[in-house]
Amino acid sequence: MCKVTIKVVCYKSKTLSNGEHPLMLRITKDGKRSYDGLGISVNPKHWDFEKDRPKLNCPNRESIMMAISHVE
């Protein structure tokens, strides 16, 4: 039986020209990871890396949470 997990992560290894980092879907299947962009970026000071969610002070928090909820 193959186990698949999907998680939204802030991709810290890529910095966009505006200083933000893209939000990516991390898809893990049988130990292999692949990433797919959501088309949304966030400033790292507005992202909670422990919970993989936008912080309460994030200006686009509602729209990001809505996009995340449609994915998960």
Side-chain angles (χ1 to χ4, degrees), residues 10 12 18-21 23 40-62 64-65 68:
C10 183
K12 291 191 289 187
N18 61 0
E20 295 182 342
H21 298 289
L23 295 181
I40 302 171
S41 61
V42 66
N43 191 317
K45 69 180 180 181
H46 295 298
W47 189 258
D48 186 351
F49 289 97
E50 292 179 10
K51 297 179 183 176
D52 286 325
R53 298 274 188 239
K55 292 182 179 179
L56 294 175
N57 64 351
C58 181
N60 300 331
R61 185 176 197 282
E62 291 180 21
I64 293 171
M65 291 300 292
I68 291 173

Side-chain angles (χ1 to χ4, degrees), residues 23-34:
L23 295 181
M24 308 281 275
L25 280 179
R26 181 174 63 201
I27 304 163
T28 306
K29 180 179 178 183
D30 294 329
K32 296 180 181 179
R33 290 182 182 160
S34 64

